[in-house]
Structures are given as structure tokens and as C-alpha cells.
Amino acid sequence: MSFNKKVAFYTLGCKVNQYETESLKNKLIKLGYEEVPFENSADFYVVNSCTVTSIADRKTRNILRRAKKANDKSKVIVTGCYAQTNGKELLEIDEVDYVVGNSNKTEVIDLIENIEGKSNSSHVVLNDIFKEDEYKELEFSTFREMSRAYIKIQDGCNNFCSYCKIPFGRGKSRSRKLENIIEEAKKLAQEGFKEIILIGINLGAYGEDFKEKITFEDLLEEIVKVEGITRIRIGSMYPDKINSRFVEIMKNNKKIMPHLHISLQSCNDEVLKGMRRKYGTDLIKDRLYTLRENIENIEYTADVIVGFPGETEAMYESSKELIKEIGFSTLHVFPYSERENTLAATFDNKVSPAEKKRRAADLETSEKESARKVREKYIGKTLRVLVEEKKENGYYGYSENYLRVKIIDKENLVLNVNDEVDVKITGCEKELLTGESR
């Protein structure tokens, strides 16, 4: 065991990365390491990188150059998707000592434990991610945000959308064993968590790599049986993975929260075809409207890319109009970012940076109006809220359909974090609903 050694972490990108950082962190703490803030002096700095956009690449490089400012004798290890796809490039950064790809992420622990015996030269620990055929188990991470905990159920993606670099960083779709997922859910319930969020790179592909027949819907039917867990959220879904059985399960199991984050990307058929998405606008409308017809108060959030190569103004406007018609409580809008080794990087008819920026701002403005309408329709209604924090002016939490709610701190009102309460919605302040507990 390595006592008195300090380690600092910095995580970029998605919830999967954050989950994996927590696993590494927990293991090192058990081995006797002390976690310190990234700005403090540490013996080791671990940066878990993202490469979903060029901005994510730049952020990773900037963070790595900051790493040794507090201790120039420290060792800096970069892992994650950018490390997997651009390991040699990262080694050119003076501050970087080791590059460990996603294919070897679990080896970060052994590297740190044995680093004193290694040479001072920088080097790469990196295998071919596409040779990974099975899901690698991590130590239970208990990655949490407020009163929610995350469970990773799947890694990788087989889709190879034309704009996306992530399969090169994550490899083929690999599913976690069902019994291990259920075991982690039970452990979280024993620790007092009521809400869990299922995360992965392509959740709807869960089970497709297993020899035995098992699906994401099978997993949902098993995980709702875990006692103590009262809220189950689904991290992200592709529209084409929303099938009739999925709708029935959501409809018939109140533990599954009436909210979905949709990996949408566009609402224009020509753009979706260029992106190599496996659906068009008719499917989007059919699946999302079917859910609305069957599940009370369901709300959607989504990711959207604007300025994809060949996207004309007319295509953009048609996408914006359908997005407005469907109605989302939140949109994450991304200007198209060209990624090396992707098919879209070879496409002609590039949209100018200025136009991509304009469309992103325009869609965000449109989204704010739609989001306001989504929230205002709940004024006068009662929503069930899980309390996540207390501030001077009230309690805060999320409704079942993932709307942030401020519970007005009336005289003698006493709530605890992790309480579930019914809240009568009385107002709307930008992206926040306000109300009183009943």
C-alpha cells in the first residue's frame, strides 16, 4: 500500500468517463492514496480525456499543460478516448509522462503503483480497442450527483455514424453481465440511493453482443425489481431503439422515470442520411409521439448538431421546425466539428464556421421558447420531486420528468436530501419551476 502519496483527477466528457474516473479513484483511495484538488500539488495527475469534438481535444491539451504547475516532479497520466485515438500526439506534450488508452484503462492503477520502478521516458500503454470483445468490469464506483447514482451497463458502438469519432475511442459494443448490473443496483439501494441512471455509449444496443438472447428491455424488467430503488432513469436513447416493448415497459413500470434523453442529431431526412443515422423524421415522430400518447407527462431532452456538411438553410429550418413541434425541455446544441478518420471529414459543401455559430445560437434561442412552454404547462399541477440540496432560499430537486424544481422554503418546512415530496407548481423562473410541498 502506498501511503502519503497524493493523486489528482480531471475528467472531461460524458457520464461514462466520469463513472470510470470514480472507479479508478475509489481503488486508489483503498490502496492508501490521498485525493487532492487538481490545482494542488500531487504526486500523480490523472486526466480522463474526451475527443467528441475539436473543442474537447483542445480542453484536454490545455488541462494537461496545467498539470505540473503545482509540482513539476509529478507524473502525469492521460487516459480516455483522446488517449485511445491520438496517443502519440499527446506524448508530444512536455507535461505528459504516460498515455493509457481506454483499452487499458484498468491498468492505470498498476502503472501508478509501480511507476517508481519504471524509466523516466514517456511511453504509451495502448492496445487495439477493436480487439476488445467483452465488457471489462470496474470496481463499483458509486459515481453520484447529489442524490443520484450511475450504473454503467454497456460500452462501445457499432454504428460508425459519419461524423463520429467515438467508436475509434471506445471500440465495438460490449454489454455488461446482467447479474453484475443488478448486484450494483442492490448495493446502491443498500447505501440509501433511491434514484439510479443507466449509462453507456449506446444503451439500446445492450445485449446484442451476447450469445444468449437478452435485450435492453429484459434488463429494464429485471432492474425494476430491485427493492429500495424508486427511480430509474435511462441515460440516452437512439430513436430507432424505442420499440413497442420499450414503450409498454415504460408505461407499466412507474419506477422508470417519464423522461428520455434522445440522441437526435437532426430532424431533417437528408442530413440524417448523410450522418448515416438509422432513422428518418417519420420514425422520430412515430416513436416520440407514441411515447407521449402512452406515458403521462413524459418529457424529452436531446443532442442536436447544426452545420453538418451539405446542410442547407432550408434543411436547417426544417429541422428546427420539427424540433419545435415535438417540444424539448432542454437541447444540447453542437456546431458540427470535423473529426479525423470519419467519413464526414471527406464531404464537400462544408458550412462556414460563422454560419454554424449563427445556427447554433438561433436554435438555442428557439429552444428557450419551447422549453418555457414545456415548463409553463405544469403551473397549477403537482409533480413528485426528489430533494437534492438545500439552499438559503429553498430546497431543490428534479421532478420525475427531469424538470428542475425549487421548493419554496415556507415556515416550519423541514425536508431532507433524498426525500421524495409532492410539489404544487406555482411559477416558472427561466429554466426553473417553483412550487410548494403538499
Side-chain angles (χ1 to χ4, degrees), residues 10-21:
Y10 198 104
T11 306
L12 299 103
C14 66
K15 301 298 184 187
V16 173
N17 252 14
Q18 295 175 52
Y19 178 97
E20 291 168 351
T21 295

Side-chain angles (χ1 to χ4, degrees), residues 9-158:
F9 296 87
Y10 198 104
T11 306
L12 299 103
C14 66
K15 301 298 184 187
V16 173
N17 252 14
Q18 295 175 52
Y19 178 97
E20 291 168 351
T21 295
E22 288 299 312
S23 179
L24 296 174
K25 184 187 301 184
N26 288 350
K27 182 68 174 176
L28 285 169
I29 289 172
K30 285 182 179 179
L31 289 171
Y33 291 82
E34 176 188 352
E35 184 197 0
V36 298
F38 198 80
E39 296 75 20
N40 289 17
S41 177
D43 298 288
F44 304 97
Y45 294 91
V46 179
V47 176
N48 200 351
S49 65
C50 174
T51 191
V52 71
T53 64
S54 58
I55 293 173
D57 288 354
R58 187 167 65 247
K59 285 182 178 178
T60 295
R61 294 192 296 268
N62 289 341
I63 291 298
L64 289 168
R65 292 188 178 102
R66 283 171 37 193
K68 290 195 177 187
K69 285 190 174 179
N71 180 7
D72 60 6
K73 293 182 174 59
S74 64
K75 296 296 182 184
V76 175
I77 302 166
V78 56
T79 186
C81 291
Y82 195 15
Q84 183 68 43
T85 60
N86 298 73
K88 292 181 180 179
E89 174 186 318
L90 288 172
L91 275 181
E92 294 175 3
I93 299 174
D94 291 340
E95 289 80 1
V96 173
D97 294 291
Y98 296 92
V99 174
V100 181
N102 277 329
S103 56
N104 302 81
K105 191 174 272 184
T106 55
E107 296 176 33
V108 168
I109 306 297
D110 289 338
L111 178 62
I112 290 175
E113 279 281 83
N114 299 294
I115 216 161
E116 286 85 355
K118 297 184 180 293
S119 66
N120 291 326
S121 60
S122 299
H123 64 279
V124 177
V125 183
L126 185 65
N127 291 335
D128 183 353
I129 193 73
F130 291 108
K131 291 183 179 178
E132 297 287 326
D133 293 321
E134 294 185 359
Y135 180 95
K136 281 187 177 178
E137 277 293 337
L138 298 169
E139 179 141 337
F140 289 165
S141 73
T142 315
F143 166 45
R144 64 192 76 187
E145 285 181 343
M146 306 297 185
S147 54
R148 301 191 296 271
Y150 292 77
I151 300 179
K152 183 183 171 187
I153 69 164
Q154 179 272 343
D155 204 343
C157 184
N158 298 338

Side-chain angles (χ1 to χ4, degrees), residues 300-336:
Y300 306 123
T301 54
D303 297 322
V304 178
I305 295 171
V306 297
F308 184 77
E311 182 187 62
T312 64
E313 182 66 13
M315 293 176 194
Y316 163 70
E317 286 293 336
S318 73
S319 181
K320 183 176 79 169
E321 287 307 307
L322 181 51
I323 288 168
K324 188 186 298 185
E325 177 188 317
I326 294 169
F328 293 87
S329 59
T330 303
L331 276 187
H332 300 291
V333 182
F334 302 91
Y336 167 73

Side-chain angles (χ1 to χ4, degrees), residues 237-254:
M237 285 291 286
Y238 287 36
D240 56 306
K241 295 297 185 182
I242 300 170
N243 56 41
S244 57
R245 185 178 171 209
F246 178 87
V247 174
E248 283 301 306
I249 290 171
M250 283 198 79
K251 180 180 178 179
N252 297 323
N253 291 277
K254 297 305 180 184

